[in-house]
Amino acid sequence: MDVMEEASRREALGQEIIHMEIGQPGARAPAAVINAAQEALANGYFGYTEARGIKALRDRVSRHYRETYGVDVPESRIIVTTGSSAGFNLAFLGAFDPGDRIALTSPGYPAYRNILKALGLEPVEISVGPETRWALTPDLLERSHAEKPLAGVLIASPGNPTGTMMRPDALKALCESAQELGIRFISDEIYHGLVYEGETATALRYCDDAIVINSFSKYYCMTGWRVGWMIVPEALVRPIERIAQSLYICAPDISQRAGIAAFDATEELEIVKAGYARNRALLLDRLPKVGFQELLPVDGAFYVYAGVRSFTNDSSDFTRRMLAEAGVATTPGADFDHDRGNGYLRFSFAGSHKDMIAAMDRLTAWLK
């Protein structure tokens, strides 16, 4: 956010900035979504919905899991949320007690630990690296649990900032390990749909009592609509429903109605995804030529997490200089990994292909 603020300040002064710091699609919401919203607006009335979301949307999410993953999820276990952010708050409040310890991977999305701390829970960051393909393993989980018991574990696949995805067998092994240890499993699946290599699997295939969180923000290009969903065990439905009623009543009515249409916009969304794939190929080709020799596996999402040790030991300063001198905005790794983040930065390739080419040209000139 600091990088984006500085980039905006520079743009206001006339500098042309290429944005690769923001983790959101550059494309607008699909036409079907906009049409559904316009139709709803024409009817002229929006109100509170059930805290769990309108049944038509819950039914459509249930159908999505059946068609996409071959998993039967009753609509009664689906809760529509105000984006995935609300899903994390609800999951943490509904599944844990103050002081509980929740395992996270490092590098990882910083909001996880921030939300946990704000709610009186203890984030336990477990470092992962190339030896485990940047994924949490049963051994690492068991070792941490043995040191001091864990109440939960949260994984993201594909992940932010890396874009790296757990293979189905690795996800299965981790789910089974968590179940054996009595650790609640939470799976962040908001980048599902944006996978370029490998097979996508939902944690629900291996752990029926997992909490799964997803969103319309990434694949469906609906960040500003603030609507997502979570799937929870039956025992948590009522507690989470009551918490949701107290915290925000319901997700936006218009966004829920539009969200139903998003599932039928696959053709348009796959065109957007093809654009990401083209950008991904460009960055994976050109970044090493510029000098970024360490690139983590980019299986999905729209990020490249790149090592900068050949240039600097301070990625935050490197990011500031890149912005000021090359006009390219990226995110320093310190946000995602307190211990090793100074050696990395994150490029988002969710923008236009023209911008990605221009960014690589600028970096080439800047790093000569």
Side-chain angles (χ1 to χ4, degrees):
M1 292 300 100
D2 289 344
V3 172
M4 185 168 66
E5 182 177 350
E6 176 62 13
S8 297
R9 187 188 72 82
R10 289 181 173 277
E11 284 179 315
L13 295 174
Q15 185 178 0
E16 183 184 344
I17 304 296
I18 298 174
H19 291 275
M20 302 183 74
E21 83 280 23
I22 304 172
Q24 69 174 346
R28 70 173 208 163
V33 169
I34 294 172
N35 291 340
Q38 289 173 333
E39 182 178 341
L41 282 169
N43 292 331
Y45 178 79
F46 301 99
Y48 297 138
T49 73
E50 296 176 59
R52 290 191 297 121
I54 59 177
K55 188 174 184 300
L57 179 53
R58 299 197 313 266
D59 284 339
R60 189 63 186 86
V61 172
S62 176
R63 176 181 154 194
H64 170 70
Y65 277 81
R66 187 169 58 254
E67 294 176 346
T68 304
Y69 305 104
V71 174
D72 286 322
V73 178
E75 61 81 19
S76 61
R77 290 175 51 193
I78 297 166
I79 298 173
V80 180
T81 61
T82 310
S84 64
S85 299
F88 294 120
N89 279 277
L90 293 172
F92 298 157
L93 287 167
F96 305 115
D97 294 318
D100 279 351
R101 304 174 77 247
I102 317 301
L104 312 168
T105 60
S106 182
Y109 180 50
Y112 299 147
R113 62 173 178 266
N114 296 340
I115 296 170
L116 288 167
K117 288 179 180 178
L119 297 179
L121 300 164
E122 182 182 347
V124 179
E125 297 186 71
I126 301 175
S127 291
V128 294
E131 68 280 0
T132 65
R133 205 173 178 277
W134 300 90
L136 188 61
T137 64
D139 286 347
L140 290 171
L141 183 66
E142 291 165 12
R143 192 180 311 158
S144 180
H145 187 62
E147 291 174 0
K148 190 175 180 180
L150 298 165
V153 57
L154 167 60
I155 62 102
S157 177
N160 178 8
T162 64
T164 305
M165 184 174 66
M166 293 185 73
R167 300 308 192 211
D169 58 342
L171 179 60
K172 180 177 185 289
L174 188 63
C175 286
E176 291 175 347
S177 176
Q179 286 182 308
E180 291 171 4
L181 296 170
I183 299 172
R184 173 76 67 185
F185 197 92
I186 303 175
S187 182
D188 177 354
E189 300 180 359
I190 67 171
Y191 291 101
H192 277 212
L194 297 177
V195 173
Y196 315 103
E197 292 185 10
E199 177 188 352
T200 310
T202 176
L204 294 169
R205 180 189 294 180
Y206 312 114
C207 181
D208 187 60
D209 63 354
I211 296 174
V212 167
I213 295 173
N214 209 322
S215 170
F216 288 95
S217 292
K218 307 302 182 180
Y219 176 71
Y220 299 99
C221 302
M222 295 175 65
T223 50
W225 298 70
R226 306 315 303 137
V227 61
W229 71 86
M230 60 192 303
I231 298 170
V232 303
E234 290 286 359
L236 286 179
V237 171
R238 185 58 178 155
I240 289 178
E241 180 182 22
R242 288 182 294 179
I243 295 169
Q245 289 169 336
S246 299
L247 288 181
Y248 60 87
I249 302 179
C250 64
D253 186 356
I254 188 171
S255 298
Q256 293 190 56
R257 298 191 214 180
I260 299 170
F263 289 106
D264 297 318
T266 303
E267 183 176 351
E268 185 175 346
L269 292 169
E270 286 297 303
I271 293 173
V272 174
K273 178 182 173 181
Y276 299 152
R278 190 179 177 203
N279 291 345
R280 171 183 178 269
L282 175 74
L283 266 62
L284 293 181
D285 174 58
R286 293 198 56 182
L287 284 173
K289 295 175 181 176
V290 175
F292 294 93
Q293 295 301 321
E294 183 188 356
L295 305 179
L296 274 63
V298 188
D299 305 314
F302 34 58
Y303 307 116
V304 174
Y305 198 57
V308 295
R309 293 292 186 192
S310 58
F311 303 113
T312 181
N313 289 320
D314 185 348
S315 63
S316 295
D317 177 69
F318 187 76
T319 298
R320 284 191 290 269
R321 289 191 289 114
M322 182 188 297
L323 176 60
E325 299 168 18
V328 177
T330 59
T331 304
D335 278 358
F336 309 107
D337 187 336
H338 287 316
D339 295 330
R340 300 165 296 176
N342 277 331
Y344 296 87
L345 59 79
R346 188 193 73 177
F347 293 92
S348 169
F349 54 82
S352 71
H353 193 63
K354 177 182 176 182
D355 278 351
M356 298 302 103
I357 293 173
M360 294 303 100
D361 289 345
R362 290 186 185 189
L363 292 183
T364 300
W366 182 56
L367 294 169
K368 275 185 178 177

